[in-house]
Amino acid sequence: MPKVKKIFTEYGLDFDNNRFGFGRSTEIEYSDGTEMRTHEHIKINKIHARYFRVWIAKIVFVFDSDRPHLSMRKKSRWNFKIVYGKSGI
């Protein structure tokens, strides 16, 4: 099994990963590039960054405690998401 590279835990309005919209989801990113998403609580031992993400249509705005502090990304699919998240190991 590949080594865990990073863990992302998000709280908020997310219709992709939460059945009723609001909730928590956790994504585990492995060293081989694969990812796994779960609703289980996985403790992040060392928090690397905290962020606030707003995804409207195909545009995602990210306000991050890590650099760059503000970024905008274009995605290939439509979604609506407003979440607070933290990432770490």
Side-chain angles (χ1 to χ4, degrees), residues 10-26:
E10 296 183 338
Y11 306 88
L13 182 64
D14 178 0
F15 290 101
D16 257 357
N17 300 303
N18 297 304
R19 184 175 176 185
F20 299 107
F22 286 99
R24 176 188 70 220
S25 66
T26 302

Side-chain angles (χ1 to χ4, degrees), residues 9-81:
T9 301
E10 296 183 338
Y11 306 88
L13 182 64
D14 178 0
F15 290 101
D16 257 357
N17 300 303
N18 297 304
R19 184 175 176 185
F20 299 107
F22 286 99
R24 176 188 70 220
S25 66
T26 302
E27 181 177 308
I28 302 168
E29 185 179 285
Y30 294 100
S31 57
D32 66 354
T34 59
E35 298 174 349
M36 181 185 81
R37 191 165 288 272
T38 180
H39 291 286
E40 295 177 26
H41 178 69
I42 298 174
K43 183 174 170 54
I44 298 176
N45 293 327
K46 184 177 179 184
I47 295 176
H48 176 68
R50 298 175 195 278
Y51 57 90
F52 184 72
R53 183 182 316 186
V54 178
W55 183 338
I56 301 171
K58 291 186 175 186
I59 299 175
V60 181
F61 297 96
V62 181
F63 307 93
D64 199 332
S65 65
D66 200 14
R67 298 204 185 271
H69 296 298
L70 176 61
S71 63
M72 183 185 84
R73 300 177 192 153
K74 289 196 175 201
K75 298 285 188 170
S76 60
R77 63 186 179 92
W78 285 68
N79 199 357
F80 180 75
K81 186 186 287 196

